[in-house]
């Protein structure tokens, strides 16, 4: 695909497979194309690695964090489970929202919680709201431990951000889906891999081997869930799509 932007004429021209289309540069359609190019370039340049939350690297697109914080505000979950810990920034982010709301706790799971990251997380002032579990997120002993941490009447939100292969995410969805309470979500993050499969830091296999594909496959076999991208509660935009690393991520339990 070739994209040409003419700021004088205020047009964006797309040439794809011999088909040529010229759009108003300031239209929602042009914004979507520019946003996708921005996401691709940002992935290549590791844009999300710029950000921290309360002192810990978070490695997330700020747009996605704003969406999930609104989901958490509306759900007010008792338990937030995140697979994939890395530096702990996301755990701290979710714990800080629990602190503000005056309720909730966070369970973080990772196959390898590195010593320096564990030290920083455990010394953080929000650690009292966090439980760390080391082990594969799909290991039955780990899944059982998480189940044991959740009381039957508690509202549970789950975010999958560990190994992003289709098979692994599908395994996580099957393992943790039953824990999700009615009206809440299990979120398969980083489906953006399909979008960025053709950038230098991407891989051709990502086109089909990604969390978004796993989420779609899971929903097909589990009618108790529906793909449901949260709608903004405030929207005075002119119909523009969100830039996101989490397309097709939100599976809501009916």
């Amino acid at each position: 695909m070739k994209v040409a932007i003419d700021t004088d004429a205020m047009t964006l021209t797309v040439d794809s497979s011999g088909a040529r289309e010229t759009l108003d540069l300031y239209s929602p359609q042009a914004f979507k194309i520019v946003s996708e190019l921005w996401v691709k370039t940002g992935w290549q340049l590791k844009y999300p690695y710029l950000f921290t939350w309360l002192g810990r690297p978070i490695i997330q697109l700020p747009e996605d964090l704003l969406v999930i914080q609104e989901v958490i505000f509306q759900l007010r979950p008792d338990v937030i489970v995140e697979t994939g810990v890395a530096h702990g920034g996301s755990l701290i982010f979710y714990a800080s929202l629990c602190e503000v709301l005056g309720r909730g706790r966070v369970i973080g799971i990772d196959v390898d919680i590195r010593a320096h990251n564990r030290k920083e997380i455990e010394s953080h002032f929000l650690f009292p709201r966090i439980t760390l579990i080391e082990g594969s997120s799909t290991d039955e002993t780990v899944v059982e431990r998480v189940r044991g941490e959740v009381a039957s009447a508690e509202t549970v939100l789950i975010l999958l951000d560990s190994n992003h292969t289709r098979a692994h995410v599908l395994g996580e969805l099957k393992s943790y889906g039953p824990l999700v309470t009615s009206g809440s979500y299990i979120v398969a993050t980083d489906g953006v891999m399909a979008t960025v499969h053709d950038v230098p830091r991407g891989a051709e296999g990502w086109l089909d081997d990604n969390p978004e594909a796993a989420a779609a496959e899971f929903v097909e076999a589990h009618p108790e869930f529906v793909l449901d991208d949260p709608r903004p509660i405030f929207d005075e935009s002119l119909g523009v799509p969100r830039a996101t690393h989490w397309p097709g991520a939100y599976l809501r339990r009916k």
Side-chain angles (χ1 to χ4, degrees):
M1 181 177 74
K2 295 182 180 179
V3 177
I5 295 175
D6 188 330
T7 55
D8 292 331
M10 295 187 290
T11 60
L12 182 148
T13 301
V14 182
D15 192 336
S16 179
S17 302
R20 187 180 179 87
E21 182 180 16
T22 298
L23 304 168
D24 177 350
L25 179 58
Y26 300 108
S27 66
Q29 296 88 346
F31 181 84
K32 181 178 180 181
I33 292 168
V34 171
S35 294
E36 183 172 304
L37 290 173
W38 178 81
V39 166
K40 283 173 171 279
T41 304
W43 180 276
Q44 177 61 26
L45 298 177
K46 302 178 77 169
Y47 173 75
Y49 287 73
L50 285 170
F51 305 105
T52 59
W53 186 262
L54 298 179
R56 298 306 299 151
I58 195 164
I59 317 177
Q60 299 287 358
L61 207 62
E63 285 88 340
D64 291 322
L65 295 177
L66 286 174
V67 173
I68 192 61
Q69 68 79 27
E70 195 60 46
V71 169
I72 290 170
F73 173 71
Q74 293 183 57
L75 281 176
R76 301 182 184 232
D78 299 292
V79 185
I80 300 171
V81 179
E82 182 182 43
T83 66
V85 169
H87 298 277
S90 294
L91 292 180
I92 299 299
F93 177 75
Y94 302 134
S96 71
L97 295 175
C98 292
E99 187 76 8
V100 169
L101 293 172
R103 64 179 295 163
R105 62 192 187 280
V106 185
I107 300 171
I109 307 161
D110 202 298
V111 69
D112 179 19
I113 303 174
R114 296 179 181 176
H116 63 283
N117 288 328
R118 179 184 287 275
K119 178 181 178 182
E120 292 294 334
I121 296 167
E122 291 182 346
S123 64
H124 200 280
F125 72 92
L126 287 169
F127 183 66
R129 290 194 179 269
I130 296 171
T131 298
L132 293 174
I133 299 176
E134 188 166 55
S136 171
S137 57
T138 55
D139 188 305
E140 187 55 33
T141 59
V142 170
V143 177
E144 278 298 323
R145 182 173 171 191
V146 174
R147 290 191 191 116
E149 294 280 345
V150 178
S152 59
E154 290 186 312
T155 299
V156 181
L157 170 70
I158 298 178
L159 299 108
L160 309 177
D161 193 16
S162 60
N163 182 331
H164 294 305
T165 64
R166 181 173 183 161
H168 185 81
V169 174
L170 190 58
E172 289 182 319
L173 289 165
K174 292 175 180 177
S175 294
Y176 296 99
L179 282 174
V180 179
T181 41
S182 178
S184 188
Y185 294 88
I186 185 167
V187 187
T189 72
D190 279 342
V192 72
M193 290 166 60
T195 300
V196 301
H197 76 279
D198 56 350
V199 307
R201 285 186 62 240
E204 187 63 31
W206 289 1
L207 189 59
D208 297 305
D209 188 13
N210 63 74
E212 185 178 14
E217 182 178 343
F218 180 79
V219 166
E220 281 290 318
H222 294 81
E224 69 273 25
F225 285 91
V226 60
L227 286 167
D228 183 19
D229 192 33
R231 300 295 302 168
I233 62 173
F234 175 79
D235 182 4
E236 290 187 1
S237 73
L238 299 177
V240 297
R242 283 200 307 261
T244 180
H245 279 188
W246 299 2
Y250 285 84
L251 290 79
R252 178 175 56 82
R253 187 167 198 138
K254 297 177 185 177

